[in-house]
């Protein structure tokens, strides 16, 4: 883990050189998904990790995306220390935009509201918070991870998204074509259909277009 937090590590410096080159050539819109803390949310123990979100490596990457008007996407679950570090990172360079993967994965809407209110450069994607990516096994342990079903949107999340319509984006986080199709159907019927038209358009594509400079 220490190597992942060391901006002077030779492998990290090599990676940053490659990223700088790709950004300069117009090949990239962002960096990620970075797994800052997935120590409890990844089902595979071999790839679980917990790093300092405010370490020099993350700061260096945030500086890089800020220079190129890009974004960094980072997975940070709702551990108190990790959220504090995420907020420190956001404050470190307010010109650098951060997509908070899966809205914290195991968060409640009130948790997310506090973070977004404090930091204008943090955005949320809604991937992995709905089926088919979100599995029944996980739901039995942490039912609050599900933001919307095939037909319904949680009232607390609806209120938050309507309150901050510029800060959320859809996502599937799926690996197969069939799961992707199922995910899109769930997004359309469970999320977008239960938002106002203006908010639904922003969440569906307008926020991503603006943030990632897509044409």
């Amino acid at each position: 883990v220490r190597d992942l937090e060391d901006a002077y590590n030779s492998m990290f410096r090599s990676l940053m050189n490659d990223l700088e080159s790709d950004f300069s050539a117009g090949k990239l819109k962002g960096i990620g998904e970075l797994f800052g803390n997935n120590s409890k949310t990844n089902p595979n123990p071999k790839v679980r990790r917990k790093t300092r979100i405010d370490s020099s490596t993350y700061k260096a990457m945030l500086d890089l995306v800020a220079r190129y008007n890009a974004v960094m996407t980072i997975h940070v679950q709702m551990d108190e220390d990790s959220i504090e570090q995420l907020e420190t990172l956001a404050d470190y360079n307010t010109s650098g935009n951060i997509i908070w993967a899966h809205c914290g994965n195991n968060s409640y809407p009130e948790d997310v509201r506090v973070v977004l209110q404090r930091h204008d450069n943090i955005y949320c994607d809604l991937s992995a918070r709905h089926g088919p990516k979100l599995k029944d096994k996980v739901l039995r342990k942490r039912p609050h991870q599900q933001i919307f079903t095939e037909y319904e949107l949680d009232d607390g999340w609806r209120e938050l998204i309507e309150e901050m319509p510029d800060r959320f984006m859809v996502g599937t986080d799926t690996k197969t074509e069939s799961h992707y199709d199922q995910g899109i159907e769930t997004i359309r019927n469970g999320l977008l259909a239960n938002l106002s038209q203006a908010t639904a358009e922003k969440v569906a594509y307008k926020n991503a277009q603006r943030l990632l400079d897509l044409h």
Side-chain angles (χ1 to χ4, degrees):
V1 170
R2 282 196 297 270
D3 288 342
L4 297 173
E5 299 172 351
D6 179 12
Y8 293 99
N9 178 281
S10 60
M11 292 182 65
F12 179 76
R13 294 175 72 174
S14 176
L15 171 64
M16 289 294 287
N17 287 335
D18 290 343
L19 290 171
E20 178 88 47
S21 177
D22 286 346
F23 273 122
S24 180
K27 295 179 179 180
L28 297 179
K29 296 292 187 179
I31 302 171
E33 179 182 350
L34 305 170
F35 291 95
N37 180 357
N38 67 342
S39 59
K40 297 171 185 170
T41 54
N42 194 299
N44 185 352
K46 293 182 179 180
V47 295
R48 292 173 186 166
R49 66 173 65 124
K50 183 175 183 177
T51 61
R52 284 199 63 90
I53 312 303
D54 58 355
S55 65
S56 60
T57 50
Y58 295 114
K59 288 179 177 178
M61 285 186 280
L62 188 62
D63 282 340
L64 180 62
V65 299
R67 287 202 302 276
Y68 287 95
N69 194 30
V71 299
M72 63 184 289
T73 301
I74 186 167
H75 182 121
V76 184
Q77 66 188 41
M78 292 301 302
D79 292 359
E80 184 176 352
D81 55 343
S82 291
I83 299 305
E84 289 177 356
Q85 293 159 17
L86 175 63
E87 296 196 67
T88 299
L89 177 66
D91 283 336
Y92 161 74
N93 188 341
T94 57
S95 296
N97 290 321
I98 299 169
I99 296 178
W100 187 11
H102 326 306
C103 287
N105 195 276
N106 55 341
S107 61
Y108 291 91
E110 53 266 31
D111 300 323
V112 173
R113 176 180 283 104
V114 170
V115 174
L116 297 188
Q117 285 176 337
R118 290 174 177 165
H119 306 282
D120 292 339
N121 58 332
I122 296 181
Y123 300 80
C124 271
D125 84 58
L126 299 167
S127 65
R129 301 296 297 266
H130 58 88
K133 174 69 174 182
L134 192 56
K135 305 299 183 184
D136 290 341
K137 182 179 179 180
V138 175
L139 285 173
R140 286 193 291 270
K141 294 179 180 178
R142 296 185 296 272
H144 68 280
Q145 282 193 216
Q146 188 171 50
I147 293 176
F148 55 93
T149 68
E150 293 179 352
Y151 304 106
E152 295 180 334
L153 171 61
D154 177 86
D155 287 340
W157 283 101
R158 180 193 293 107
E159 181 179 342
L160 175 59
I161 295 169
E162 292 286 1
E163 179 184 330
M164 300 181 174
D166 298 321
R167 309 291 287 281
F168 293 89
M169 289 160 282
V170 300
T172 60
D173 202 19
T174 54
K175 296 179 180 179
T176 69
E177 185 174 348
S178 63
H179 279 179
Y180 176 80
D181 291 342
Q182 292 175 46
I184 294 300
E185 192 72 13
T186 300
I187 288 168
R188 287 173 174 168
N189 296 329
L191 173 65
L192 302 179
N194 289 299
L195 295 170
S196 66
Q197 181 175 344
T199 297
E201 290 177 353
K202 289 182 177 182
V203 173
Y205 66 95
K206 287 184 177 179
N207 291 338
Q209 282 183 330
R210 171 176 50 83
L211 195 61
L212 299 173
D213 191 26
L214 301 175
H215 303 287

